[in-house]
Amino acid sequence: MRRNLVVGNWKMKINQQSAQKLVDGLIDGLPSEDADIAVCPPYLYIPEVSQRLANTTIGLGAQNVATHVEGAYTGEIAAVMLKDFNCKYAIVGHSERRANYADTSQTVAQRFQQAIDADIIPVLAIGELLEEREDGTTFDVVEKQLNAVIDFSGIENFKKAVIAYEPVWAIGTGLTASAEQAQEVHLFIRQLLAEKNQQIAENIQILYGGSVKPQNAVALFAMPDIDGALVGGDSLSADSFLKIYSSFQK
Ligand code: PGA
């Protein structure tokens, strides 16, 4: 049985004070659920959030990770550095990184591998643009993005990875893929993996991301191939994020 997981991506939408308040709110309000939960603060706040989350069941993640293990890479943060602060997860290939910071299939695959090498679980984000959905090429895009990482890193490494399907047109827009639209792509992703390794396909957590809210989480999580969510905007409120976390069917 796959465990469910919700991951909060705080992006660059928080400051030190609001991060402290948010973490305290999550710790105080955390219901006991049979599911996993994690937050991804901006890099700078990771040490402090890591301390606050010690001895809790809330996991810590980063929003990105460097393509190399060490070296002359000004401004980058290596996976081993994240590991020093108990990061369990690192998001790789978020569409905002692909669109605004020139992340390519190659660099996303390198980041994925760096996370794996440091014993961090990569949360590989993939998903189509609005025009790609309208052109009917959603499956092609998702397949290409996924295969780029499988070809580079090997299917075996997906044993220790999470996939987040995030249709770009649904991120931060208030538009959500319907539960059925999301399920269709999640199933497709699982089938692609199954062609390579049946067991990995069955065990891997595939999260949905894109305007997930308490109002739509129940329907999304009821789908057989949706194992949780990568949440942006609604992870910035402890109340909303914990409501999403409590939306799995018992
Ligand atoms: P959103 O962001 O929930 O604000 O749409 C999701 C994401 O970017 O991962």
Side-chain angles (χ1 to χ4, degrees):
M1 249 321 258
R2 296 187 293 271
R3 280 182 70 74
N4 291 308
L5 168 68
V6 294
V7 179
N9 174 9
W10 296 353
K11 308 195 180 182
M12 202 177 71
K13 293 187 170 182
I14 202 152
N15 59 34
Q16 189 177 23
Q17 220 184 353
S18 51
Q20 288 168 350
K21 216 175 127 214
L22 179 50
V23 172
D24 289 347
L26 292 174
I27 294 170
D28 292 346
L30 191 71
S32 97
E33 297 286 342
D34 194 19
D36 296 326
I37 183 167
V39 294
C40 301
Y43 284 138
L44 263 185
Y45 302 139
I46 282 178
E48 189 175 341
V49 173
S50 175
Q51 260 183 7
R52 284 185 181 240
L53 292 183
N55 307 316
T56 75
T57 54
I58 303 173
L60 180 62
Q63 298 175 16
N64 193 18
V65 62
T67 50
H68 290 77
V69 70
E70 56 109 46
Y73 299 101
T74 302
E76 291 299 290
I77 302 286
V80 288
M81 300 172 184
L82 298 174
K83 193 69 189 171
D84 280 342
F85 291 94
N86 297 318
C87 279
K88 183 174 177 189
Y89 302 97
I91 301 170
V92 301
H94 191 281
S95 64
E96 287 153 17
R97 302 291 322 175
R98 293 182 195 256
N100 305 326
Y101 297 94
D103 237 342
T104 62
S105 289
Q106 171 71 19
T107 56
V108 171
Q110 286 175 289
R111 295 182 202 286
F112 180 97
Q113 186 63 46
Q114 287 298 318
I116 293 282
D117 290 347
D119 196 25
I120 288 174
I121 299 170
V123 179
L124 171 63
I126 55 178
E128 81 287 0
L129 304 169
L130 182 58
E131 45 284 23
E132 292 165 337
R133 174 152 289 262
E134 287 173 349
D135 287 353
T137 56
T138 296
F139 289 152
D140 299 335
V141 171
V142 164
E143 182 169 2
K144 226 168 130 198
Q145 290 175 338
L146 183 60
N147 278 341
V149 181
I150 297 175
D151 291 347
F152 184 87
S153 188
I155 187 72
E156 285 298 314
N157 282 333
F158 281 75
K159 263 188 198 143
K160 294 162 284 178
V162 171
I163 294 175
Y165 167 60
E166 299 206 303
V168 180
W169 48 272
I171 296 177
T173 57
L175 297 172
T176 331
S178 67
E180 291 73 20
Q181 276 175 322
Q183 164 59 24
E184 184 181 44
V185 182
H186 281 232
L187 177 62
F188 174 73
I189 292 168
R190 213 177 287 287
Q191 285 168 341
L192 283 178
L193 294 167
E195 287 169 17
K196 312 237 171 358
N197 186 314
Q198 183 70 35
Q199 206 181 355
I200 287 174
E202 275 168 26
N203 291 337
I204 197 165
Q205 292 166 317
I206 308 180
L207 313 183
Y208 169 78
S211 300
V212 175
K213 307 188 175 313
Q215 298 88 316
N216 56 29
V218 174
L220 286 162
F221 295 170
M223 291 290 150
D225 290 291
I226 300 182
D227 307 312
L230 179 55
V231 186
D234 272 51
S235 72
L236 296 169
S237 140
D239 184 52
S240 292
F241 192 49
L242 292 178
K243 278 194 183 128
I244 293 170
Y245 177 58
S246 297
S247 298
F248 296 107
Q249 284 168 334
K250 298 289 179 302

